[in-house]
């Protein structure tokens, strides 16, 4: 399923009740007043904006700008005029002018929620994630704003783009809380839980999604197939696959199902990004001060936690768990694997994360490797108070795929390709042995 930030925003041109204020100006003959109705001017400006946006959607940028200029002449201080111009400049790839237009609109009314939301979406597209988050939270904080669920979903999609998965989940939860039957948010949550390998929770959101929508799409059916396939429920998975082919025979997902049973869908790509983010987290050895944003109060609050980049907010009224806590939680979830940061690639049968950490600390002085590894079922031989480290290898079994192996051992698939000299389409045979670590590094350590 393709990940899109849409529906990120369409310029909202809701014609709110316009005041019938009347002003009096004078023409050349100063004794003859000219009556101008501001309400009429605003209405004509809104009509021109509607025409301009319509032309812009059709790709006629010349007529679009012409109508927006006319709207500006009718009502130069109407917020929607400058928001529409910002949308126009964004469409024609003029980000500097788009920024100026948004700033001008907010200088007229700093609490126009639609403009704040749209500006946040624009900033996210420019990869200015912290500023985007701030603007959209300001929109949500406006008491009269009714599209709160949509803005929370926008925030979640932006956080997914920034690879901030925990925050994305929080914002999706808020979107669903404000609109429990919002199908798009339920589908995104289903996709996120799949990426995090929580297939039971993904299945729960699948059922909620199916109840909330009458227009299930091909991407949703493909994801449903994968969710049940990952749980080993082949019967239900095949039912979803059959529905996909029957309902959307010409779709890309249906063709991929027929070709390779949806070997790699967009949600699998998201899963790879999620695992990569865990590796990035493990490389952070100290806590950083992080900023929490709230739609009710834009003043910052600080708490202990981990942050991957300058976009520091984690969540309101909570503390993000430390890396050691994350290791323990993961160990409880999957008893056969422990992910730890250590200075040598080694394997052990120990079941306690504390014991694993102790072994890692003892070997820091013996080896100079600095990679994160997966602790899996194997043996560590002790000789003369030193550890002889066997190279972890996986023997291909029936039903194995490179992606499934990378997911099982929590190893980046590109590393598996490199270490085993594989090329797409990854033809594996039963009995093949795949390195789960870099054989060159292991050879150097043995020397």
């Amino acid at each position: 399923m393709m990940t899109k930030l849409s529906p990120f925003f369409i310029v909202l041109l809701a014609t709110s009740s316009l005041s019938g204020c009347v002003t009096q100006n004078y023409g050349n003959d100063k004794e003859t007043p000219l009556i101008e109705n501001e309400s009429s001017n605003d209405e004509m400006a809104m009509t021109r904006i509607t025409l301009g946006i319509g032309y812009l959607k059709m790709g006629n940028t010349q007529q679009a700008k012409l109508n927006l200029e006319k709207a500006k002449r009718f009502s130069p201080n109407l917020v929607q005029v400058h928001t529409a111009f910002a949308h126009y400049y964004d469409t024609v790839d003029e980000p500097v002018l788009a920024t100026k237009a948004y700033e001008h609109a907010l200088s007229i009314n700093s609490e126009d929620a639609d403009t704040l939301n749209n500006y946040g979406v624009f900033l996210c597209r420019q990869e200015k994630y912290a500023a985007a988050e701030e603007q959209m939270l300001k929109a949500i904080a406006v008491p009269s704003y009714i599209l709160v669920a949509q803005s929370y979903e926008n925030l979640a999609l932006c956080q997914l783009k920034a690879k901030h998965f925990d925050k994305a989940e929080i914002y999706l939860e808020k979107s669903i809380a404000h609109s429990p039957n919002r199908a798009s948010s339920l589908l995104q949550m289903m996709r996120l839980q799949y990426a995090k390998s929580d297939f039971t929770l993904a299945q729960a959101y699948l059922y909620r999604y199916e109840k909330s929508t009458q227009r299930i799409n091909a991407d949703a059916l493909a994801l449903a197939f994968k969710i049940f396939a990952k749980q080993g429920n082949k019967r239900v998975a095949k039912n979803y696959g059959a529905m996909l082919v029957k309902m959307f025979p010409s779709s890309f997902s249906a063709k991929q199902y027929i070709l390779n049973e949806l070997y790699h869908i967009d949600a699998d790509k998201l899963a790879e990004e999620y695992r990569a983010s865990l590796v990035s987290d493990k490389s952070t050895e100290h806590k950083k001060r992080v900023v929490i944003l709230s739609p009710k109060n834009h003043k910052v609050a600080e708490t202990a936690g981990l942050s991957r980049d300058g976009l520091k907010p984690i969540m309101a009224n909570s503390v993000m768990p430390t890396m050691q806590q994350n290791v323990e939680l993961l160990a409880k979830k999957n008893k056969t694997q422990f992910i730890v940061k250590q200075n040598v690639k080694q394997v052990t049968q120990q079941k306690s994360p504390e014991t694993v950490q102790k072994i890692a600390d003892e070997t820091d002085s013996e080896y100079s490797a600095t990679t994160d590894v997966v602790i899996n079922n194997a043996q560590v031989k002790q000789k003369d108070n030193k550890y002889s480290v066997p190279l972890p290898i996986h023997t291909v079994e029936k039903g194995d795929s490179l992606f499934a192996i990378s997911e099982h051992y929590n190893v980046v698939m590109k590393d598996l390709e490199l270490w085993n000299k594989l090329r797409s389409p990854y033809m594996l045979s039963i009995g093949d042995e795949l390195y789960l670590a870099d054989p060159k590094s292991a050879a150097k350590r043995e020397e």
Side-chain angles (χ1 to χ4, degrees), residues 152-153 156 166-180 185 189 192-193 196 201 205 208 315:
Y152 271 128
E153 184 179 317
D166 291 337
K167 294 181 71 176
E169 184 172 6
I170 292 168
Y171 286 135
L172 282 174
E173 288 174 349
K174 288 181 176 292
S175 176
I176 294 170
H178 280 274
S179 183
S185 293
M189 182 65 91
L192 177 57
Q193 296 306 326
K196 298 177 73 173
L201 189 54
Y205 279 108
R208 291 184 62 178
M315 58 181 290

Side-chain angles (χ1 to χ4, degrees), residues 187-206:
L187 182 58
Q188 290 297 332
M189 182 65 91
M190 178 171 69
R191 180 171 168 266
L192 177 57
Q193 296 306 326
Y194 175 89
K196 298 177 73 173
S197 297
D198 193 339
F199 305 119
T200 302
L201 189 54
Q203 181 179 329
Y205 279 108
L206 168 63

Side-chain angles (χ1 to χ4, degrees), residues 237-405:
K238 287 184 177 180
N239 288 341
Y240 277 104
M243 289 173 59
L244 173 62
V245 175
K246 184 176 180 179
M247 296 173 63
F248 305 96
S250 60
S251 68
F252 176 78
S253 295
K255 295 175 182 178
Q256 290 299 304
Y257 174 76
I258 295 171
L259 180 64
N260 56 26
E261 287 196 337
L262 297 168
Y263 170 74
H264 194 275
I265 64 174
D266 182 68
D268 290 317
K269 180 181 178 182
L270 186 66
E272 293 173 2
E273 293 173 349
Y274 175 70
R275 288 193 297 274
S277 73
L278 294 180
V279 174
S280 177
D281 277 344
K282 288 186 293 181
S283 65
T284 305
E285 297 181 356
H286 61 277
K287 297 179 180 180
K288 296 182 179 180
R289 297 167 68 86
V290 299
V291 179
I292 298 173
L293 295 183
S294 169
K296 294 183 179 180
N297 185 356
H298 300 294
K299 294 181 179 180
V300 299
E302 294 180 347
T303 185
L306 295 175
S307 175
R308 287 187 290 277
D309 55 22
L311 214 167
K312 296 181 180 179
I314 300 301
M315 58 181 290
N317 302 322
S318 71
V319 178
M320 185 174 181
T322 64
M323 196 61 238
Q324 179 61 30
Q325 291 171 324
N326 285 338
V327 170
E328 293 174 357
L329 289 173
L330 184 58
K332 292 178 181 178
K333 184 175 180 181
N334 188 346
K335 294 182 180 179
T336 63
Q337 297 181 351
F338 302 111
I339 300 178
V340 297
K341 184 179 191 315
Q342 63 181 38
N343 290 338
V344 61
K345 292 182 177 178
Q346 61 174 357
V347 288
T348 181
Q349 289 182 327
Q350 301 294 337
K351 294 184 179 181
S352 168
E354 291 80 8
T355 304
V356 172
Q357 185 62 52
K358 182 179 178 181
I359 294 174
D361 293 339
E362 290 174 353
T363 56
D364 277 345
S365 60
E366 300 294 333
Y367 301 102
S368 61
T370 59
T371 57
D372 296 326
V373 299
V374 176
I375 304 303
N376 196 41
N377 294 331
Q379 293 183 349
V380 176
K381 300 178 182 179
Q382 188 173 2
K383 184 178 180 181
D384 298 329
N385 296 324
K386 293 185 179 181
Y387 292 95
S388 175
V389 184
L391 187 64
I393 294 175
H394 173 83
T395 303
V396 176
E397 300 176 355
K398 184 178 180 180
D400 277 350
S401 67
L402 192 64
F403 173 75
I405 294 170

Side-chain angles (χ1 to χ4, degrees), residues 138-151:
K138 285 181 180 179
I140 292 170
V142 176
S144 59
Y145 189 50
I146 62 175
L147 299 178
V148 173
Q150 179 176 326
S151 286

Side-chain angles (χ1 to χ4, degrees), residues 112-117 134-143 145 148 151 298:
D112 186 83
D114 294 336
T115 302
L116 289 166
N117 176 76
E134 181 180 2
Q135 295 301 323
M136 283 187 271
L137 286 173
K138 285 181 180 179
I140 292 170
V142 176
Y145 189 50
V148 173
S151 286
H298 300 294

Side-chain angles (χ1 to χ4, degrees), residues 57-120:
K57 287 181 179 179
M58 293 187 293
N60 192 337
T61 56
Q62 183 175 351
Q63 285 296 322
K65 188 173 184 181
L66 178 63
N67 278 278
L68 293 182
E69 290 290 355
K70 290 182 178 180
K72 187 176 181 180
R73 286 199 294 269
F74 278 120
S75 190
N77 293 320
L78 188 65
V79 171
Q80 288 89 338
V81 169
H82 301 283
T83 302
F85 262 110
H87 180 44
Y88 166 82
Y89 287 128
D90 184 21
T91 303
V92 298
D93 196 24
E94 293 286 355
V96 175
L97 295 176
T99 301
K100 289 181 179 179
Y102 276 123
E103 294 291 349
H104 193 163
L106 291 174
S107 71
I108 297 172
N109 183 359
S110 62
E111 294 189 354
D112 186 83
D114 294 336
T115 302
L116 289 166
N117 176 76
N118 296 345
Y119 190 23

